Amino acid sequence: RQLSEQPALAEDVLVLGQKLIVRVLQELPNEIQVTMRGKHLKGAAAFKVGEVVEGTVLVVRQYEAFVDIGALTSAFLSIRMLGHCKFWQGQSIKVKITELHGRQIKLKLEEA
């Protein structure tokens, strides 16, 4: 079943007992936020160092953020050197891919 852009009730798109592939977005007390992996997601090998992509901030920690750039795994953005920049969950940002190691993708903020 295909999901629309509009939020849907689980019973509108899922069947009891259906197996799903999900990606954990965030762990909270008594809650885990997940997303279903879509066919549109690419492996790290589909990206190139130096490529500029749009992403959505998934998780922000003190010195790092994890960004959804359409890859199977979230990409890592070090914000240690960007003390003046504020990031928030759900924010759209433009990033440059700086390193690819196996399934890991490292990013830097793209200068405007």
Side-chain angles (χ1 to χ4, degrees):
R1 296 181 185 178
Q2 194 166 16
L3 298 176
S4 68
E5 294 298 319
Q6 298 294 325
L9 299 173
E11 56 264 18
D12 291 339
V13 294
L14 302 174
V15 177
L16 186 62
Q18 180 179 356
K19 292 183 179 184
L20 303 171
I21 296 173
V22 298
R23 180 170 43 149
V24 176
L25 297 176
Q26 186 172 14
E27 292 183 55
L28 303 168
N30 302 317
E31 180 181 346
I32 298 175
Q33 294 178 355
V34 298
T35 185
M36 287 190 273
R37 185 174 93 184
K39 292 181 182 178
H40 66 283
L41 298 177
K42 304 183 279 187
F47 295 92
K48 293 180 174 45
V49 172
E51 183 177 0
V52 176
V53 295
E54 291 282 332
T56 303
V57 177
L58 298 173
V59 177
V60 179
R61 296 195 176 126
Q62 186 173 3
Y63 298 113
E64 62 194 13
F66 292 92
V67 181
D68 179 355
I69 60 168
L72 293 171
T73 58
S74 54
F76 172 80
L77 173 65
S78 175
I79 55 178
R80 183 178 303 267
M81 304 302 286
L82 302 172
H84 63 285
C85 292
K86 299 292 182 199
F87 296 97
W88 60 89
Q89 187 176 356
Q91 178 182 9
S92 292
I93 59 174
K94 191 175 280 193
V95 291
K96 182 182 277 189
I97 297 171
T98 59
E99 294 180 44
L100 295 168
H101 295 286
R103 296 182 354 193
Q104 294 181 343
I105 302 171
K106 292 187 179 180
L107 309 169
K108 77 172 191 172
L109 192 61
E110 177 63 6
E111 302 296 326

